[in-house]
Amino acid sequence: MNLFVQQVVTGLSIGGIYALLAVGYALIYSIFKFTNFAFGAILMCAAYGAYFVTHTLKMTSLVSGLLGAVVIGVIVSLATELLAYRSLRRLKASRLFLMISAMGVNIFVQNLMTIMMSANLRSLDIKMPFNVIRFGKIRIGSLDIFSLVISLIVLGVLWIFIEKTKHGIAIRASAHDTDTAGLMGINVNKISFIVFAISGLTAAISGTFMGMKYAVYPTLGAISSKAFISSVIGGLGSLPGAVLGGFILGVLETMISGYISSSFRDLFSFSVMIAVLVFLPNGILGSGINDKL
Amino acid sequence: MRSRLFALVTAMCTITLVLFGFGGAAEAAYSPMADRWSGDSVTIGFFGNMSASGAFQDVPQRFAIADYIEDLNARGGLLGKKVKFVWYDAGRDALTESVTAVNKMVQQDKVVGIVGPGGSRYALPVISLCNDSKTPCITIGATNAKVTVNEDTGKVNPYMFRVSFIDPYQGSALANYAYKDLGFKKIATIAAVDDLYAQGLLQYFVDEYKRLGGEITTSLSYQSTDVEFRSQLSAIADSGATALFAPATEYKYAAFIAKQAEQLGLEFTYLFPEAVYSRELLENAGPQIEGAYVSIPMDENDPRFDDFNKAFDAKHKSSGYKANMYAYYAMDGVMLLEWAIKKANSFDGEAIKNALETAKGVPLFTEPSFTIEPETHNPHNKTVSIMRVEKGQYKLVATFKPGD
C-alpha cells in the first residue's frame, strides 16, 4: 500500500509538470489551431536562462532562477511567433505549414544550443528550504511539492486571467473564432503576442523545474512530447483538459514503470491516447474540434 | 505544368542515381587497396558521438587522436608519408550514421585504418563493412564481446580489434567485488532495456552474482530516452535493496538516478560500469554519488598521466572538454595502429591486421606491455580497476586482472 501511495504522489508530481507544459500547447492550439512543436526548444532555452542566472550570476534562489527562465522563455517564444509563424499566417498558409515550421524551429534551436553549449549536462543548483517530507514511509521531495504547488498557482492565475480579464475574454473570443474576433475589433496580433508570452511563461516554469529535477542540456525539451500526448488526451485546445491529461499521463506512466515495466510505459501511454481519440475524438474535455494536428 | 513536373522528377531521379546508385555499385566492389597510399599522404579515420549527450567520451578521443597525429607528422609521419585525420559524427543515430561514416572513410577518404569508435553501439553496425573492405578498426572503448568475435560462429571478426576490456570480465569483476569485498548479499538492478551495452553487462553481472550466491531483489528497466526514474527507485527501495547495480551507458543516467533517489530521500550504494566514469558525473550528481563504485580500465589520478592531462586541458580549454580515460583509450588505439603499420612496414589492410594479431608487449599510453589475443582480438589480461567516489573524487580501491 505504501508503495502504491508513493507512486501516486510521484505520478502527480510528474503530472504537474506535464500539465503545465500541456497548457502551453493547448493555449497556442486553441487560438491558432496548430501544435507548437517548438515548445520543447523554448522550454530548453528557458532552462539555460535559469542556469545562467544561478551559475554565472550566482543568484541561487528559486525566484531568481524562475525569473531568468521566464525572461528567456518569453523572449524565445515571442521571437518564434514573430519569425516563424506570423509571416506564414499573413500569407494565409495552411496550418500544416505552421506545424512544419514549428518542427524546424525545434530542431534548429536544439542543434544551435548543442553547438553553442555542447551536449554536456549542466546541474541547476537552486537552494531549496528543505529536502524531503516524510509521512510514515511516504516520502515527498521538496522539489515535487514546489513544482506541484507553483504549477497549480500558475494554472489558477492563468485561469483567472483568461476568465476574468479583458485580455482573457479577447483570447477566448479569438480561440472561438479568430476571424470574427478580428472583425469585432480585437487586435489578433496583440492577442497572439500575449498568448505566446504566456506559453513562454509556462515553458519557463516547467523548464526550471525540469532543469532542477534532471539537468539542463540541449535535448531537455524532448519531454514536451509527453505534454502533447497529455494535451490530446485532455482535449487539444482545452486548458482544463490539458491539466487533466497531464495528471492522468503522469500517474499512468509512474504506475506502469513501477509495477509492470518501463518497456510497456509508452505502449500504454500511446494506447490510451489512441483509445481516447477513438472513443472521444475531441479528448476528455475538448470542445467540438473536427480536425487535430 | 505537367511537363515541368515530369522534367523535375526525371532530373531528381537522375541525380539520385548518379549520386547513390552508381556510388552504391562502387561500394560493393571497393577501390583497389593501393589507392589508399598512392599519394604522398595516408589517412586515419575516427567516428563516434560528437553531438549527443555521450559526447564527453568521444570528443576528447577525437582531440587526442588529432593531437597525436599532429605530433606524428612533426616526427616525420608514417613510413615517410604525411598522415591526415578525418572524423565523422554518428551521435544522432548510431546505427545508420556509423555505417555512413565508415562508408565515407573507406570509399571517399581511403583510410588505412580506423581508430574508434568508443562505444559498442557504434562499432557493432560496421563490423562487416570493415571486414569486407579489409580496413583494420581498433575500437577504443567498445566493450561488447561481439565487436571482435562473431557470436554465432565463435570466429574472430578479422579486421576488428580493441584496446579495452570486455563486458563479461567487467560484469564478473563488479559482481565479485559487490558480493565478496563489499558483502552485499542482496542487490537490485536497473538498466536500459533498449541498449546492447547495458543489457549485455547486466546479464554478465547477474549470472556471476547469482553464481556466487547473491540475491537480485528486483530488476527494473528504463528506456534510453528516459529522464524520470523515481517510479523505479521507489520500487527498488520497497524491495529492500540497499545496493543498486546500474550498467548505464552515459553519466547522465547515473546522475539522474542518484539525484532522483536523493529527491525521494533514498540512499543506495551504487555500482556503475566504466561508461559513466567522468568528472562530469561528479559535477552533476554532486554529494548524492558519494560512496558509489565505478569499474574502469585505468586510474585517471595516476601521476603518469599528469603531463598529458595538463597539455590536453590547456590546448582544448575553449572546447569545454578535459582529458579523460576515453582520451587515454584513444591514445592507446592510435599508438597501436602506428606500431602495427611500422611492424608491417606497409599500409596494406591485411598486412596491418596480421601485424596487430602478433602484437605482444607493445608499449602503449596506458599499458607498458600490451598484448592482443589472436583468437579473440581482445587485449590480454587487461586490468579492471574499481574506483570509489570519496569527497567528490575518484579513489582507487581495488584492481582485478583476469589472469590473476
Side-chain angles (χ1 to χ4, degrees):
Chain A
M1 187 60 190
N2 283 330
L3 180 62
F4 180 79
V5 177
Q6 179 70 56
Q7 300 290 30
V8 171
V9 169
T10 303
L12 287 174
S13 128
I14 296 166
I17 298 285
Y18 287 172
L20 205 54
L21 287 169
V23 163
Y25 266 114
L27 260 177
I28 306 290
Y29 189 88
S30 66
I31 307 285
F32 302 113
K33 305 291 186 285
F34 82 99
T35 306
N36 182 16
F37 282 114
F39 198 69
I42 298 166
L43 175 157
M44 174 266 293
C45 289
Y48 273 104
Y51 175 78
F52 174 76
V53 168
T54 55
H55 186 259
T56 311
L57 303 181
K58 309 287 180 200
M59 296 159 74
T60 55
S61 72
L62 181 59
V63 174
S64 51
L66 280 169
L67 277 175
V70 166
V71 169
I72 300 296
V74 171
I75 289 172
V76 176
S77 185
L78 292 178
T80 310
E81 148 67 357
L82 281 175
L83 300 173
Y85 306 143
R86 187 168 286 192
S87 53
L88 281 174
R89 284 207 312 277
R90 274 199 200 119
L91 294 169
K92 303 280 180 199
S94 153
R95 281 174 286 148
L96 181 67
F97 295 124
L98 281 165
M99 196 181 73
I100 292 168
S101 181
M103 287 176 174
V105 169
N106 190 42
I107 294 167
F108 172 81
V109 174
Q110 200 184 92
N111 280 279
L112 185 70
M113 290 303 279
T114 304
I115 292 164
M116 285 171 59
M117 304 297 293
S118 87
N120 271 345
L121 305 191
R122 285 155 210 273
S123 190
L124 191 51
D125 297 319
I126 289 177
K127 287 191 172 66
M128 300 299 279
F130 59 91
N131 200 14
V132 180
I133 294 180
R134 291 171 196 271
F135 300 99
K137 285 190 174 180
I138 309 301
R139 300 166 299 270
I140 310 176
S142 63
L143 203 48
D144 288 338
I145 295 169
F146 274 91
S147 65
L148 188 60
V149 168
I150 291 177
S151 298
L152 290 174
I153 289 171
V154 170
L155 291 171
V157 170
L158 194 57
W159 182 81
I160 292 168
F161 176 77
I162 286 174
E163 292 293 323
K164 306 289 180 190
T165 67
K166 195 174 137 190
H167 284 115
I169 293 167
I171 289 172
R172 281 191 290 142
S174 302
H176 188 70
D177 189 331
T178 312
D179 293 336
T180 309
L183 289 172
M184 298 297 286
I186 292 172
N187 183 343
V188 177
N189 278 340
K190 187 181 169 188
I191 293 301
S192 75
F193 238 70
I194 294 172
V195 166
F196 272 92
I198 295 171
S199 178
L201 178 89
T202 61
I205 295 167
S206 311
T208 306
F209 284 118
M210 283 169 59
M212 290 168 73
K213 279 185 181 180
Y214 312 125
V216 181
Y217 55 103
T219 51
L220 177 68
I223 202 170
S224 63
S225 62
K226 298 294 175 59
F228 175 64
I229 302 171
S230 306
S231 197
V232 172
I233 291 173
L236 260 178
S238 160
L239 300 195
V243 175
L244 181 67
F247 283 113
I248 289 174
L249 191 67
V251 173
L252 182 75
E253 284 194 350
T254 308
M255 290 297 170
I256 292 161
S257 294
Y259 285 104
I260 304 173
S261 166
S262 69
S263 323
F264 291 92
R265 191 198 55 214
D266 287 350
L267 187 74
F268 272 78
S269 304
F270 282 94
S271 300
V272 167
M273 188 182 84
I274 292 165
V276 167
L277 286 175
V278 169
F279 295 106
L280 298 164
N282 297 315
I284 297 171
L285 297 179
S287 53
I289 298 162
N290 293 325
D291 54 343
K292 292 182 175 181
L293 292 175
Chain B
M1 183 66 193
R2 278 192 179 179
S3 59
R4 274 189 186 179
L5 186 66
F6 179 75
L8 180 67
V9 171
T10 310
M12 287 173 73
C13 290
T14 310
I15 291 167
T16 309
L17 271 174
V18 168
L19 287 178
F20 301 106
F22 300 145
E27 272 173 25
Y30 295 114
S31 49
M33 182 70 78
D35 283 2
R36 298 181 185 183
W37 62 89
S38 56
D40 57 0
S41 64
V42 290
T43 306
I44 290 174
F46 169 75
F47 69 102
N49 176 4
M50 306 295 150
S51 51
S53 57
F56 74 97
Q57 298 173 355
D58 301 46
V59 173
Q61 292 190 324
R62 190 186 94 208
F63 289 155
I65 298 168
D67 292 349
Y68 189 82
I69 289 175
E70 196 180 309
D71 179 56
L72 189 64
N73 284 327
R75 286 187 274 121
L78 264 175
L79 306 185
K81 287 183 188 283
K82 190 173 174 257
V83 182
K84 288 182 183 170
F85 177 53
V86 292
W87 61 269
Y88 293 100
D89 179 14
R92 294 285 168 185
D93 183 343
L95 188 66
T96 57
E97 298 288 330
S98 299
V99 171
T100 306
V102 172
N103 262 323
K104 274 188 188 168
M105 283 192 265
V106 172
Q107 293 297 324
Q108 179 183 299
D109 305 313
K110 305 196 186 312
V111 297
V112 295
I114 298 169
V115 178
S120 299
R121 63 181 181 276
Y122 301 95
L124 290 165
V126 303
I127 293 170
S128 58
L129 264 176
C130 292
N131 287 339
D132 294 348
S133 62
K134 297 189 174 180
T135 308
C137 176
I138 302 172
T139 63
I140 48 177
T143 52
N144 191 304
K146 286 183 271 188
V147 170
T148 53
V149 178
N150 186 308
E151 191 181 34
D152 299 325
T153 63
K155 288 182 180 172
V156 73
N157 293 317
Y159 287 84
M160 300 298 292
F161 296 83
R162 84 174 96 221
V163 291
S164 59
F165 51 55
I166 54 171
D167 290 337
Y169 186 68
Q170 184 180 197
S172 168
L174 275 168
N176 273 281
Y177 189 71
Y179 188 84
K180 291 178 182 170
D181 295 69
L182 299 176
F184 290 129
K185 305 302 176 198
K186 289 198 293 188
I187 201 164
T189 67
I190 184 167
V193 72
D194 54 353
D195 190 276
L196 280 171
Y197 170 84
Q199 287 300 312
L201 195 50
L202 175 70
Q203 193 60 51
Y204 296 121
F205 176 90
V206 168
D207 288 349
E208 179 67 9
Y209 191 73
K210 283 182 176 171
R211 191 189 66 76
L212 292 167
E215 179 197 346
I216 305 292
T217 59
T218 182
S219 276
L220 292 174
S221 61
Y222 60 90
Q223 295 178 42
S224 296
T225 50
D226 285 0
V227 293
E228 181 59 55
F229 297 90
R230 282 177 295 171
S231 170
Q232 293 97 317
L233 290 167
S234 298
I236 287 166
D238 194 59
S239 77
T242 54
L244 177 59
F245 173 62
T249 49
E250 290 173 22
Y251 76 86
K252 73 173 182 182
Y253 301 111
F256 289 158
I257 287 169
K259 278 178 89 166
Q260 289 172 33
E262 195 254 353
Q263 287 164 17
L264 287 169
L266 302 174
E267 286 182 8
F268 299 109
T269 301
Y270 301 100
L271 286 104
F272 296 120
E274 39 85 46
V276 309
Y277 180 82
S278 61
R279 294 173 198 172
E280 287 85 353
L281 173 64
L282 303 177
E283 289 163 10
N284 279 281
Q288 296 89 14
I289 210 79
E290 278 292 310
Y293 294 89
V294 188
S295 61
I296 57 163
M298 73 285 284
D299 179 8
E300 278 180 11
N301 301 321
D302 194 323
R304 67 196 162 115
F305 302 133
D306 284 353
D307 291 343
F308 174 84
N309 291 348
K310 272 182 203 163
F312 186 101
D313 293 352
K315 187 168 183 178
H316 302 290
K317 193 178 177 185
S318 62
S319 73
Y321 291 102
K322 292 177 178 173
N324 57 22
M325 68 164 191
Y326 306 101
Y328 306 163
Y329 266 145
M331 290 294 287
D332 279 349
V334 70
M335 287 172 80
L336 182 63
L337 183 63
E338 179 196 6
W339 175 88
I341 289 170
K342 285 179 175 170
K343 168 93 187 295
N345 197 28
S346 165
F347 294 110
D348 182 88
E350 195 169 352
I352 298 170
K353 180 209 81 162
N354 291 336
L356 284 168
E357 285 183 334
T358 63
K360 192 172 183 183
V362 181
L364 297 184
F365 184 71
T366 66
E367 296 268 345
S369 178
F370 180 88
T371 298
I372 286 275
E373 292 174 348
E375 65 277 11
T376 61
H377 287 190
N378 295 329
H380 176 68
N381 217 18
K382 187 83 179 172
T383 306
V384 175
S385 301
I386 308 282
M387 310 294 284
R388 186 173 192 270
V389 179
E390 288 176 16
K391 295 178 185 170
Q393 298 286 322
Y394 293 107
K395 301 279 182 196
L396 181 70
V397 290
T399 53
F400 289 83
K401 264 185 178 287
D404 293 347

